[in-house]
Amino acid sequence: MVNPEIQGRVYPPTAPYLVGREKVREFARAVLSTSPLHLDPEAAKAAGYADVIAPPTFAVTVQEATLAQLLADEEAGVDFTRVVHGDQRFTYTRPIVAGDELTATLTIAAVKQLGGHSMVTASSDIVDAKGDHVVTAISTLVVRGDENA
Amino acid sequence: MSSVTPDFSQLETGDVVAERELTLTRDTLVRYAGASGDFNPIHYRDDFAIEVGLPGVLAHGMLTMGAAGSVATDWLGDAGWVKDFQSRFTRPVPVDAKEGAPVTVTATVGALDPEARTARIDLKVVFDGSTVLGKAQLVAAFA
């Protein structure tokens, strides 16, 4: 069972993540996108961006370091082998652009017990090098209870 | 690109704006693992997946969500940008080593806000006759 006392906990900001152009293109191809905005810097510039923009789910790669903080927190008691991804949401102020240096701060928004399972809502605020908000990535993780308990 | 840029004023609730059939293969999974950094072995090792009680290798939920999002963003082009994107992961997508997993994605206009110039695009993702994502909704902000 996940420790309910971690609700409200805020973790230290992650190390800055530099968004590379080729990484954005690789990610866009991996999610089967053909939009030139993700692949062609000239097309992105023509649309008013400094460089290629990332597909909306790209923020998960930046958020990942925050979820690693949660899993590494012994007090939280999250057993990684029992974690199922329940849902995911991204709320943007602006698209992620290649060249952005992003820092993520994790807040545990909620811990709920449902039957034998725990549901943890992890909210990661992602800001740019100026400290301006870019996107909030929210994951609900379902931690399955121990059937043998 | 020869596709037509969508015009906000022409959209109506209920319009199907894009539809695509895509086949997720083991190759797709390997590429997504590399691009995303999610190397959970349930996405590339049958023996491991079966050992933890799964039918076999599964697609990453975030890959399915990302691919569904691409159907919408490929349609949107440079007419706008994605303000919000959410999904529940309701059903796993097993990816057969030979055949892959054919998935159909349908993008429909779910709601329009003329003042904010936003369109909610509802994404229906079907594999093997069942919907695999729940409440998969993307909000596009038009210029």
Side-chain angles (χ1 to χ4, degrees):
Chain A
M1 202 176 89
V2 176
N3 181 1
E5 284 177 23
I6 63 163
Q7 182 166 313
R9 184 168 289 188
V10 181
Y11 290 80
T14 56
Y17 179 108
L18 180 60
V19 179
R21 179 191 286 167
E22 297 308 334
K23 190 71 198 175
V24 167
R25 297 166 80 161
E26 181 192 13
F27 190 92
R29 289 188 196 103
V31 293
L32 311 174
S33 176
T34 58
S35 172
L37 295 180
H38 304 316
L39 302 168
D40 176 5
E42 294 310 317
K45 279 173 196 160
Y49 299 103
D51 207 315
V52 291
I53 63 168
T57 60
F58 180 83
V60 75
T61 61
V62 183
Q63 179 197 14
E64 200 208 349
T66 64
L67 297 179
Q69 289 176 311
L70 170 64
L71 298 175
D73 182 352
E74 284 180 18
E75 277 180 51
V78 178
D79 179 356
F80 176 64
T81 64
R82 297 189 161 277
V83 171
V84 178
H85 199 175
D87 63 55
Q88 181 71 37
R89 183 169 192 169
F90 302 99
T91 304
Y92 280 89
T93 299
R94 65 159 175 88
I96 293 173
V97 183
D100 274 336
E101 200 169 271
L102 302 173
T103 304
T105 305
L106 169 65
T107 302
I108 304 301
V111 180
K112 289 177 192 152
Q113 311 299 335
L114 201 77
H117 307 315
S118 303
M119 316 242 296
V120 183
T121 306
S123 178
S124 303
D125 275 311
I126 299 175
V127 299
D128 62 19
K130 285 189 273 180
D132 293 336
H133 181 264
V134 178
V135 54
T136 297
I138 303 173
S139 293
T140 302
L141 305 178
V142 182
V143 187
R144 290 177 295 139
D146 188 348
E147 293 95 51
N148 303 320
Chain B
M1 293 276 287
S2 59
S3 60
V4 183
T5 302
D7 179 349
F8 184 77
S9 65
Q10 300 293 311
L11 298 179
E12 281 183 41
T13 306
D15 284 354
V16 173
V17 293
E19 203 158 13
R20 199 165 140 196
E21 182 173 327
L22 32 98
T23 302
L24 303 179
T25 63
R26 293 290 171 94
D27 172 271
T28 322
L29 269 52
V30 171
R31 283 172 197 272
Y32 185 76
S36 68
D38 181 348
F39 293 104
N40 187 332
I42 64 167
H43 304 304
Y44 55 87
R45 268 182 59 185
D46 284 294
D47 62 330
F48 186 92
I50 287 162
E51 204 181 290
V52 296
L54 301 170
V57 159
L58 304 181
H60 310 68
M62 287 305 302
L63 166 60
T64 310
M65 181 180 179
S70 292
V71 173
T73 53
D74 286 3
W75 160 77
L76 184 64
D78 60 7
W81 59 282
V82 176
K83 251 185 121 157
D84 198 283
F85 188 19
Q86 63 176 312
S87 179
R88 289 192 195 123
F89 304 105
T90 48
R91 201 164 285 182
V93 178
V95 179
D96 184 79
K98 266 192 188 164
E99 310 296 329
V103 167
T104 55
V105 180
T106 310
T108 308
V109 178
L112 291 166
D113 183 339
E115 251 173 65
R117 284 180 66 80
T118 57
R120 195 189 80 209
I121 306 299
D122 297 346
L123 295 161
K124 189 174 180 181
V125 183
V126 175
F127 167 72
D128 202 19
S130 299
T131 299
V132 295
L133 297 182
K135 208 186 174 193
Q137 299 179 342
L138 179 150
V139 177
F142 282 72

